[in-house]
Every structure is written in C-alpha cells, then in structure tokens.
Amino acid sequence: MIVTTEQSGLGELARRTPDDNVTGPFGAYGFADVNKFLMVYKFGLAEIGTKINILAEELAHRGRGNPIEHVSPRLKTPASITAKARRIECPLTFDDMRARIRDIAGIRIVCGFVPDVYTVARMLTRQPDVHLVVTKDYIAQPKPNGYRSLHLIVEIPVFLSDQVVAVPVEVQLRTVAMDFWASLEHKIYYKHDADVPAALRAELAAAAEDAARLDERMQRLHHEIHGPRQ
Ligand code: GTP
Ligand code: MG
C-alpha cells in the first residue's frame, strides 16, 4: 500500500516536544531531524530524475531527436523552506510544511520546442506510478509578467525499508527560450528587491513575448525541415 508522507510516521518527528536549546533554520528541530525530513524528497528527486534520464536516452536512441535539452533537479534548502512557510503562514512543524509546501523537491526540464514540453509531460504523467496532483499551464496562460512554463506537482512512490512513501515533486517544463527569459527575469527582479519600476516590468513582459515568437519561429523552421514530430 502506498501511504502519503503525512501518514508515513515520519511526521512523528514533528510531534516531538520542541527543545528551545536547539536553534537552526527550523528552530526547535536539530539538523539530524531536518536531514531525515529532507531525505524522502531527495529520494523522490532521484526517482523522477531516473525516469527523465530514461526518457531522454530512449528518445535520443529512437533517432528522431531528443526533445529534452537539459534537466536540473533542486532540493529546497531549509532556509528557503522556512522562508516560504513564513510567507504562506504555515506553522514551522514538519507535518505542516510537508502538507503545505509541495515544491521541496523540484526538477526543471528544458525542452527544444513547445510541443516537446507537452510530449514529455504526457510521457511522464502516464506512467502508472506517477500520480499527477496539480497542473498549472503558464504556457497556455502566461503570468501577467510574461512568465511561461508548464508546472506539474506529481507524487512518486519511494520505497523505504518498511514502507512506501508518496513524495511530491514539482516538475517545471519549459523551452530554452522560456528558460532564458525566466533565468534573466529572476536576476533582474531580485536585484531590484521586488520593487521593479513599471516601465521595466512592461519591457520584461515584452521580452517574454519576443521569446514566445522566437519559439514559434524555430518550431516552424523545424517543422519545415523535418516535418511534424510524432
Ligand atoms: P512559489 O511559492 O514561488 O513556489 O509559487 P507557487 O506555489 O504559487 O507556484 P508557481 O507555480 O506560481 O511557481 C512555482 C515556481 O515557478 C517558482 O518557485 C519559480 O521557480 C517559478 N516561477 C513562477 N513564477 C515565476 C516568475 O514570474 N519568474 C520566474 N523567473 N520564475 C517563476
Ligand atoms: Mg517554488
């Protein structure tokens, strides 16, 4: 039987009496506890990473070109988990953070063309052990600032010695052009400390439109030369 992380008993940690003498990013919890909390996310990331590597290698082997350009996994740091918890007013207990922060494990898949994004998402989510929890399609409906990507929250089973835990992983799929824009927007935005002048915001949104046009253009060229991708 697959249990959720909430039911897994790992939540036992969060019910410990907080020890005020222990300080750190998680306040009452020690580093050993934090590492144990993060462990299943690391395993979840390894599982999904393997699935993506298998897809990439097999698709490359099929000889119609690999739709996956590159993949970057990341585990949220304790500091970034607690910062998000505070932002969303989530109590700093492992149980609450586990239930409400679904992007502790994250993996970004950068593809060549827009249709590749949907192909890879479909190949991943139709696997019987991958449970799709949420889809946010910011390609069909870009964010007001111009941000585009396909975001999935999936749950993937991790087989521990005595139980199976369904671990949530945030999967971000985007094209190289979307990734280029998002990476630079992130840098520009953070340098301005969230206080971006309106003119710059408009220009960033226009740049996102340019990136989307470039995607269309490259896809058209690819289509003209190679025909439609199956
Ligand atoms: P977070 O609390 O930031 O995780 O946001 P959320 O839970 O509302 O989820 P959402 O799907 O909107 O965004 C999740 C992640 O997508 C972020 O952590 C970023 O990595 C990325 N992202 C979302 N919006 C933007 C954006 O406007 N610019 C950039 N560069 N990245 C973004
Ligand atoms: Mg996030």
Side-chain angles (χ1 to χ4, degrees), residues 31-128:
F31 286 107
D33 294 342
V34 174
N35 284 340
K36 187 166 183 194
F37 170 74
L38 288 177
M39 196 168 59
V40 287
Y41 295 99
K42 191 181 81 176
F43 297 152
L45 217 44
E47 291 285 358
I48 199 111
T50 300
K51 285 177 177 296
I52 296 160
N53 288 340
I54 288 172
L55 284 176
E57 201 172 324
E58 192 240 342
L59 288 167
H61 189 74
R62 275 200 332 200
R64 283 194 287 263
N66 180 3
I68 299 172
E69 291 293 323
H70 53 264
V71 178
S72 41
R74 72 104 184 85
L75 204 56
K76 243 188 190 356
T77 60
S80 143
I81 295 170
T82 44
K84 180 162 183 175
R86 291 206 176 87
R87 186 157 49 81
I88 63 173
E89 293 177 10
C90 166
L92 296 185
T93 72
F94 288 148
D95 275 346
D96 286 298
M97 292 186 288
R98 191 179 286 121
R100 294 192 44 201
I101 304 180
R102 312 296 282 178
D103 63 345
I104 292 173
I107 194 155
R108 184 171 294 150
I109 308 174
V110 178
C111 298
F113 302 96
V114 179
D116 295 341
V117 163
Y118 293 99
T119 304
V120 173
R122 209 166 37 244
M123 285 175 172
L124 209 55
T125 54
R126 74 180 174 203
Q127 299 189 7

